[in-house]
Amino acid sequence: METKPEILDTQLVTRSRLFGIERVHLRFANGEEREFERLRTPPIAGVMCVPMLDDDRVVLIREYGAGVEEYQITLPKGAYEHGEDWREAANRELMEEAGYGARELTFLKQMTLSPGYMGHHIKVVLARDLYEESRPGDEPEPLEVLTWRLSELDSLVQRQDMTEARVIAALYMARDALHKERGA
C-alpha cells in the first residue's frame, strides 16, 4: 500500500465557471488499472476560522448554502486571495464575514473534503484576542453573526441547521485544543 498508483492519463471531461471534472486513468502497484473521475483541484487553498471571544464562546455565522438549499450555521471561511498567506486570509475572511479581526491565529489542522474525488485543502485556524473590525466581502446579503458556548457544542451539533462536517470537526478540534491548553 506504500506505492502510490501511477497516473497514466488525465482528461478534462467538462468545466463550469467554478469546477472542472477530469477523468484520471491510474495503474496500481498490483498492475490493476482503473479510471476515476474527480473534481479538478482548485489552485487556491482555503482557510476556516474558529473565532473565540473567550475560552468558551465561539463566533459563528449563518449563511445560505446553495448546495443544500438551506441557511446553515457555519464558521467564517474562504479562499486565499492572490499573494496572501493563511494568516492574512484567515483574518480577512473573519473581518468580512463576522466583523472581527484576530490578534492571535493558531494553525490547528489542514483538512480535505471527500479525498476520493476532490483534492481541495482547507486550513483550520483558531482565532483569539478578537477585536471588532468589518471589511466588505463578496456575500450577496448580510450574514447573521451569532455566538455559542463550546461547553454546549453537543447541542449545537444536534441542530438541523448545523450539518457541515468540516465545521463540526473544526469546532471539536478547537474545543479539545482549548481544554488541553487549560489542562482540563
Side-chain angles (χ1 to χ4, degrees):
M1 287 290 224
E2 292 297 318
T3 305
K4 290 200 274 187
E6 177 186 1
I7 298 174
L8 302 175
D9 187 37
T10 60
Q11 293 179 316
L12 184 63
V13 175
T14 190
R15 174 187 305 209
S16 75
R17 183 177 59 83
L18 295 176
F19 303 105
I21 298 176
E22 58 187 11
R23 185 175 300 115
V24 183
H25 185 181
L26 300 173
R27 179 180 302 128
F28 290 82
N30 64 1
E32 283 290 318
E33 293 185 17
R34 292 285 191 282
E35 285 191 351
F36 293 91
E37 287 184 352
R38 67 182 182 192
L39 289 175
R40 184 174 275 182
T41 302
I44 304 169
V47 64
M48 178 170 34
C49 296
V50 184
M52 300 301 300
L53 288 172
D54 55 37
D55 283 346
D56 193 36
R57 291 181 303 144
V58 63
V59 176
L60 301 161
I61 59 173
R62 183 189 315 276
E63 70 179 333
Y64 186 72
V68 295
E69 300 177 7
E70 298 287 341
Y71 281 91
Q72 292 281 297
I73 295 176
T74 188
L75 290 167
K77 61 187 165 307
Y80 293 25
E81 289 184 356
H82 182 71
E84 284 184 320
D85 72 8
W86 64 268
R87 291 170 187 85
E88 294 166 321
N91 226 5
R92 179 185 46 75
E93 288 294 337
L94 183 56
M95 290 175 191
E96 290 176 0
E97 296 187 358
Y100 289 96
R103 291 182 189 91
E104 182 183 338
L105 297 164
T106 306
F107 172 78
L108 292 179
K109 184 170 183 66
Q110 181 163 288
M111 295 193 306
T112 60
L113 181 67
S114 299
Y117 67 89
M118 204 167 144
H120 180 69
H121 292 86
I122 193 164
K123 284 183 173 33
V124 179
V125 176
L126 184 62
R128 293 190 280 186
D129 196 7
L130 302 183
Y131 57 92
E132 290 187 23
E133 183 171 336
S134 292
R135 291 189 184 166
D138 57 1
E139 286 71 33
E141 63 183 355
L143 300 179
E144 180 183 350
V145 178
L146 54 138
T147 62
W148 200 275
R149 294 193 176 281
L150 286 184
S151 57
E152 299 171 5
L153 183 55
D154 292 343
S155 64
L156 175 62
V157 170
Q158 295 303 313
R159 291 177 56 115
Q160 295 299 313
D161 57 355
M162 167 56 81
T163 64
E164 188 176 353
R166 62 188 181 166
V167 169
I168 294 168
L171 290 168
Y172 278 106
M173 284 188 295
R175 185 191 70 181
D176 290 352
L178 291 167
H179 280 179
K180 186 176 181 182
E181 201 175 83
R182 289 190 307 259

